């Protein structure tokens, strides 16, 4: 296997695939940084180019767009509080406060390093353990998906800010939004009010752009004379060796969480990012500092979502099952190139598959170089006058929400949730729980329905499967741990 991987590296550079990989990385970073233009869209846009090159070069191009797109979303999240992709929704929780406190360069550097290491761990796992992990992922059925999503919902406790009650209320609101559209089991329309646009539910991306970008622009419009404060935000670039050692365990743990989540079909980079962030906060000695601008809060989601990039490729290559939305498009490209995913792909086309594995490893090294070199340039955005930044946020938000489906309805959704997010911010209601509810709600509902159909209405199925029992134990442990830490924090505040 090592010999095949070394041959893959040789072929990557000899065949010119490294050039297409670099092109994909740059294009993906640009696409990811623009709100509304996701990595999935970038892959779909450049998919026709793969027909004119070799399979190795074509797949390397798509891999580059995927990895670059997920990383690029962190740039706008950190600098403008406008996540370019849903996967960056957790990054802004600490990335944006870091930028506002004069450490935009540090936040971008942490995001770059964490993304590269997280992606590298995911790529190595993909290269050496893909078949074994794929076999384990096949053990996941509807009961396991329900409990995985319920475990994810416990992360609301860790992204709720100061008030758990307000966090839970926001999470329930997100779950309510997720019920709009057709019932996943019987197809009955719910809360559509006769509007055909609601039949497919409310898309996550317009809501994300509205809650963060538009609401932030409305807040920024209140004050314009903050240019001097903004310029201070680029005063420092890079991190110290001590800081790197401090966040390294978080990066490694989050990378494995992301890779595991990605290997389970039907999940995604956004789930990986929030789970990684929640776990980092749960295990931290100072969880109360999360959300105020700590580097672990940037490192965890960025390592998690980039680990998920390569984790999602595992079921795609080994089983022909896309682990994430973007890999569904990559799967289409794979089959158009005449390659049938599955175990025989490794046997019949080892040169191609290990060249692609080499490209996943190389893409993270390219990401590290491009991100570090571009950090100072990216951070310069904050030196622009406040009115220009606010205008740019408005423009990118509206154009991004429209370009996703070329549907004016999505623009109205963005505006409505932008105003809602503005008032939520004023009332100190946290926004991330809304996203968690929207992301995980459909996963719980659809799989709970399937589970009860399988078990003929019996809930005992959840305690008769080993993986289900594991998730029940982990969820209980997480909830108890959260309650204990909250009580401990209250005691400290009371005594002080």
């Amino acid at each position: 296997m090592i010999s095949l991987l070394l041959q893959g590296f040789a072929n990557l550079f000899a065949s010119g695939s490294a050039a297409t990989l670099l092109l994909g990385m740059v294009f993906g970073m640009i696409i990811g940084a623009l709100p509304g233009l996701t990595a999935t869209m970038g892959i779909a846009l450049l998919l026709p180019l793969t027909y004119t090159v070799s399979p190795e070069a074509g797949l390397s191009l798509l891999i580059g767009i995927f990895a670059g797109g997920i990383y690029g979303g962190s740039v706008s999240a950190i600098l403008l509080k406008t996540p370019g992709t849903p996967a960056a929704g957790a990054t802004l929780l600490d990335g944006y406060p870091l930028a506002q406190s004069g450490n935009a360069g540090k936040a971008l550097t942490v995001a770059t390093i964490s993304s590269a290491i997280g992606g590298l761990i995911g790529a190595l796992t993909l290269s050496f353990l893909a078949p074994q992990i794929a076999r384990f992922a096949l053990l996941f059925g509807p009961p396991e998906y329900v409990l995985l999503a319920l475990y994810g919902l416990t992360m609301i406790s860790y992204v709720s800010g100061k008030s758990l009650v307000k966090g839970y209320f926001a999470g329930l609101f997100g779950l309510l939004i997720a019920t709009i559209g057709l019932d996943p089991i019987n197809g009955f329309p719910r809360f559509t009010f006769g509007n055909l646009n609601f039949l497919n539910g409310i898309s996550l991306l317009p809501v994300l752009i509205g809650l963060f970008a538009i609401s932030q622009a409305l807040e920024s419009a209140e004050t314009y004379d903050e240019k001097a404060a903004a310029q201070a935000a680029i005063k420092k670039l890079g991190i110290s060796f001590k800081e790197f050692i401090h966040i390294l365990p978080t990066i490694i743990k989050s990378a494995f969480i992301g890779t595991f989540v990605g290997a389970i079909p039907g999940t995604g980079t956004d789930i990986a990012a929030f789970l990684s962030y929640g776990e980092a906060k749960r295990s931290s000695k100072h969880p109360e500092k999360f959300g105020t601008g700590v580097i672990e809060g940037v490192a965890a989601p960025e390592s998690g979502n980039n680990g998920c990039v390569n984790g999602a490729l595992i079921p795609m290559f080994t089983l022909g099952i896309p682990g994430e939305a973007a890999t569904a498009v990559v799967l289409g490209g794979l089959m158009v190139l005449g390659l049938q995913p599955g175990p025989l792909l490794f046997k019949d086309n080892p040169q191609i598959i290990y060249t692609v594995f080499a490209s996943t490893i190389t893409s993270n090294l390219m990401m590290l170089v491009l991100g570090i070199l571009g950090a100072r340039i990216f951070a310069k955005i904050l030196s622009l006058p406040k009115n220009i930044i606010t205008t740019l946020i408005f423009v990118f938000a509206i154009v991004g929400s429209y370009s996703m489906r070329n549907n004016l309805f999505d623009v109205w959704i963005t505006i409505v949730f932008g105003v809602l997010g503005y008032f939520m911010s004023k009332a100190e209601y946290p926004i991330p729980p809304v996203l968690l509810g929207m992301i995980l709600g459909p996963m719980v509902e659809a799989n709970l329905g399937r589970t009860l159909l399988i078990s003929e209405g019996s809930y005992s199925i959840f305690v008769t499967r080993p993986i289900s029992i594991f998730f029940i134990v982990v969820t209980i442990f997480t909830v108890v741990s959260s309650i204990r830490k909250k009580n401990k924090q209250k005691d400290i505040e009371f005594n002080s």
Side-chain angles (χ1 to χ4, degrees), residues 53-74:
V53 295
S54 66
E56 298 96 319
L59 288 171
S60 295
L61 175 69
L62 302 182
I63 295 296
I65 298 171
F66 190 13
I70 298 301
Y71 163 73
S74 67

Side-chain angles (χ1 to χ4, degrees), residues 229-301:
Q231 286 177 330
I234 61 172
K235 66 184 181 181
K236 185 175 181 180
L237 288 169
I239 58 174
S240 66
F241 181 73
K242 182 179 180 180
E243 288 174 319
F244 172 71
I245 295 299
H246 175 67
I247 63 173
L248 187 58
T250 299
I251 294 174
I252 294 173
K253 178 170 62 175
S254 300
F256 283 111
I257 291 175
T259 303
F260 172 74
V261 170
I264 302 171
T267 53
T269 52
D270 43 6
I271 295 177
F274 277 104
L275 285 181
S276 299
Y277 182 88
E279 172 56 26
K281 184 175 180 180
R282 185 201 66 79
S283 58
S284 173
K285 295 180 179 178
H286 303 286
E288 71 280 358
K289 293 183 179 180
F290 276 70
T292 62
V294 294
I295 56 177
E296 301 100 301
V298 177

Side-chain angles (χ1 to χ4, degrees), residues 35-36 206 209 396-407 410-411 414:
I209 295 172
F396 284 141
I398 298 302
V399 173
S401 59
Y402 178 78
S403 63
M404 185 180 66
R405 298 189 302 180
N406 295 330
N407 190 344
D410 290 332
V411 176
T414 298

Side-chain angles (χ1 to χ4, degrees), residues 93-172:
L93 298 179
D94 280 277
Y96 184 71
L98 262 174
Q100 292 301 294
S101 66
N103 293 289
K106 176 183 286 189
L108 289 169
T109 302
V110 170
T112 302
I113 294 173
S114 303
S115 297
I117 296 177
L120 186 61
I121 290 174
L124 292 173
T125 305
L126 167 68
S127 302
F128 293 104
L129 298 174
Q132 292 83 350
I133 293 177
R135 281 197 292 270
F136 176 74
L138 282 177
L139 298 175
F140 273 68
E144 286 75 20
Y145 279 107
V146 172
L147 293 170
L148 173 62
L150 286 176
Y151 169 66
L153 287 172
T154 64
M155 295 299 115
I156 289 176
S157 302
Y158 299 104
V159 295
S160 293
K162 299 178 181 178
S163 174
L164 272 180
V165 174
K166 290 183 177 180
Y168 290 143
F169 182 83
L172 288 173

